[in-house]
Amino acid sequence: RGASGLGLAVCRNIVGGHGGQIWVESGEGQGTAFVFSLPEQGNQRVRPPGVLRAEDRAVLIVGRELHECRALKALLLGQGYQARICEATVAAVAARLARSSPAIALYLDVDGEPDEAVMAALVGQHGLPVLALLPPGARPLVAADASLEVPPDPTVLASMIKVVLARHRLRRRMRVLVADPDEPTLRQWAQRLEQAGYLAYVAGDAVLAARRLDALLPDLVVLRAGLPGIRDVLERVRVADGQVPLILLGTPEEAAALGLDPDAAVAVNADDRDLLVALRSRLSGPRGAGADALVVLPGGREIQREVAIRMREQQPFAYCAMDIVGLHDAVERFGFMWGHTAMSHTAEMVHAILEEYADGRAFLGHQRDDDFVFVLAPEHVEVVCAEIERGFARLAPAIIGDANDAHLAVAITAIVDEEGRFDRYQALQHALSTARGRETGEVVLIDRGRLRTI
């Protein structure tokens, strides 16, 4: 009583002067704690991961171990994020999400014993991406968007948060096709999905389901076990590019009889939480504890859909395919993990360049025939391609390391579609193949029918 209040300001200046962070944690009935952290060596500061978007700063940390959560919060504050800690209970998570909208949730589980109910409370919010932080060797949480081992490297953590957020922006409303001959049930499922933020499409029979599967390129398909002609739909799902994830409304025994994984079954009378957890689990796919920029990049179907959207909106765009020349031979000599590291570092570099030199609609993906694909406005293509070339020239020596007899370079082919000359994705791919056969320059640009090297 009667104090000037300068004590806290003095503490903040002292801690900040040593490269640390200080903040207050308080809660009803929990008292108040002032927490500070300091770097291990002198006053070295953690370098922030580039310029953060304002909407990406808010991070929710959910965990049981308070001290571990505080350590993670200190790390994030040093990188420019605005982090909040939430107790790992369903009630606490629900209350926090009801009064705030974080950009991403970090689920911290240092014991390798995740609380499925808490995870369900998190992933039930479709607009909230979740990054799981797990102990080494722990089973990955498939319902999370990605997973990392604890303790995470600060640079890797910052990169993963940015990549997960970038992909989530690109896929904010995923397409789900529901096929069920029971019309009331079909409407009910569609309503549940729309309320959770998905784009729900419905089909009352197998013929319509097959037709919409081809036209919509859905992210996930939900089929009723008793759907007449279901095997024909399943065959289309299996031969689709990348095999579309699937949920069967039925029993595990019915799933097994159709040749499906029993885990793909969800009871017809399942509640919303079970359905949404199943959706996120199937959409996320298997996630290794060492997930990185590569595993969360959009794939072939998403690239095709992105091009289709721009064609439908009649937006001029540049479709750019990038290959790392020499990577295949180097991987055969130095091993898969060496090549995986090379691809991961390159993905992070390209992503950073797109963020800096292109607009917010730039799209980055990864598919089998091309190491990377990016789609952006035509006016940005030359500067982006030039920066990628320069960036890779600086990055290559670090990638090569001890493999000094390896030689890596980038080859980029860019196709500009100004006036809908490529009316479908296959025509775009054909033009890409033709360009590669006619030109050997490192960066090729096809613009208004002209072929030239940048």
Side-chain angles (χ1 to χ4, degrees):
R1 177 178 294 179
S4 64
L6 292 176
L8 294 178
V10 171
C11 291
R12 181 180 62 185
N13 290 338
I14 292 174
V15 173
H18 287 81
Q21 302 290 330
I22 185 169
W23 71 92
V24 61
E25 295 284 350
S26 182
E28 185 176 351
Q30 298 176 352
T32 299
F34 293 90
V35 186
F36 70 91
S37 64
L38 295 171
E40 290 183 353
Q41 299 180 357
N43 61 352
Q44 294 180 351
R45 296 176 181 269
V46 177
R47 185 179 178 183
V51 179
L52 288 173
R53 297 161 55 109
E55 59 268 35
D56 290 348
R57 295 180 183 274
V59 178
L60 180 64
I61 302 170
V62 179
R64 291 187 294 267
E65 299 293 335
L66 184 58
H67 293 301
E68 300 289 345
C69 290
R70 287 174 175 172
L72 182 58
K73 178 172 180 174
L75 179 62
L76 292 169
L77 290 176
Q79 294 179 336
Y81 292 98
Q82 298 169 350
R84 303 284 185 184
I85 295 174
C86 177
E87 185 182 1
T89 66
V90 173
V93 169
R96 171 65 66 178
L97 294 179
R99 64 176 184 267
S100 65
S101 300
I104 187 171
L106 305 187
Y107 180 70
L108 179 60
D109 173 30
V110 296
D111 300 321
E113 299 176 355
D115 188 319
E116 294 184 3
V118 172
M119 275 299 296
L122 288 172
V123 304
Q125 301 287 324
H126 177 65
L128 179 64
V130 179
L131 175 60
L133 301 175
L134 309 171
R139 184 178 179 182
L141 300 180
V142 294
D145 293 273
S147 300
L148 283 177
E149 288 185 356
V150 289
D153 176 89
T155 304
V156 174
L157 176 62
S159 174
M160 279 302 300
I161 290 176
K162 292 185 73 175
V163 173
V164 169
L165 285 172
R167 187 190 193 207
H168 196 72
R169 282 193 293 270
L170 294 171
R171 296 183 58 181
R172 184 159 297 279
R173 296 199 72 189
M174 293 188 181
R175 300 179 176 211
V176 179
L177 173 62
V178 184
D180 190 334
D182 186 288
E183 187 174 344
T185 306
L186 188 64
R187 286 200 303 267
Q188 184 181 20
W189 283 114
Q191 184 178 12
R192 291 182 186 179
L193 292 170
E194 289 285 348
Q195 289 173 347
Y198 294 91
L199 282 171
Y201 297 87
V202 298
D205 56 63
V207 174
L208 182 56
R211 192 159 63 238
R212 291 198 164 176
L213 179 66
D214 294 336
L216 298 171
L217 297 173
D219 294 288
L220 182 137
V221 176
V222 180
L223 298 178
R224 181 72 172 260
L227 179 72
I230 188 172
R231 293 186 182 274
D232 293 335
V233 180
L234 288 175
E235 191 60 33
R236 282 182 178 268
V237 170
R238 291 187 178 114
V239 300
D241 182 21
Q243 293 198 6
V244 184
L246 183 140
I247 289 176
L248 185 78
L249 298 178
T251 65
E253 293 75 20
E254 288 173 318
L258 291 168
L260 301 174
D261 181 355
D263 290 338
V266 173
V268 175
N269 59 350
D271 61 24
D272 291 353
R273 190 181 72 180
D274 291 340
L275 173 65
L276 294 175
V277 171
L279 278 170
R280 285 287 287 266
S281 298
R282 306 302 286 186
L283 285 169
S284 298
R287 293 283 186 253
D292 52 28
L294 275 185
V295 262
V296 295
L297 279 181
R301 293 181 64 82
E302 296 159 300
I303 295 170
Q304 184 174 350
R305 187 182 303 119
E306 179 67 19
V307 169
I309 290 171
R310 298 194 188 219
M311 288 178 175
R312 187 165 58 247
E313 295 175 353
Q314 296 183 334
Q315 294 183 3
F317 66 90
Y319 179 93
C320 308
M322 170 182 162
D323 297 306
I324 303 179
V325 180
L327 182 65
H328 178 73
D329 292 339
V331 169
E332 287 190 346
R333 294 172 56 199
F334 306 114
F336 170 79
M337 288 308 298
W338 182 92
H340 188 268
T341 301
M343 290 285 286
S344 297
H345 289 325
T346 305
E348 292 171 2
M349 178 201 72
V350 175
H351 178 74
I353 289 173
L354 288 173
E355 280 203 334
E356 184 171 356
Y357 293 97
D359 58 31
R361 283 210 63 188
F363 179 96
L364 175 62
H366 168 64
Q367 63 183 6
R368 183 180 56 193
D369 296 330
D370 303 296
D371 292 332
F372 298 100
V373 169
F374 48 99
V375 184
L376 68 168
E379 59 266 26
H380 300 139
V381 65
E382 291 204 30
V383 65
V384 165
C385 290
E387 287 299 321
I388 289 175
E389 268 203 303
R390 281 195 283 268
F392 192 81
R394 295 191 297 266
L395 180 65
I399 292 175
I400 291 170
D402 296 334
N404 15 13
D405 54 345
H407 175 71
L408 301 178
V410 291
I412 306 174
T413 304
I415 300 177
V416 176
D417 186 8
E418 290 281 5
E419 299 174 352
R421 290 180 296 120
F422 306 101
D423 59 350
R424 59 190 186 282
Y425 187 72
Q426 289 74 14
L428 195 64
Q429 294 298 300
H430 178 71
L432 180 63
S433 300
T434 303
R436 285 175 169 158
R438 290 167 53 190
E439 188 66 42
T440 57
E442 289 187 340
V443 179
V444 174
L445 175 65
I446 306 175
D447 187 1
R448 297 180 180 89
R450 300 191 306 274
L451 188 69
R452 60 188 175 92
T453 301
I454 298 176

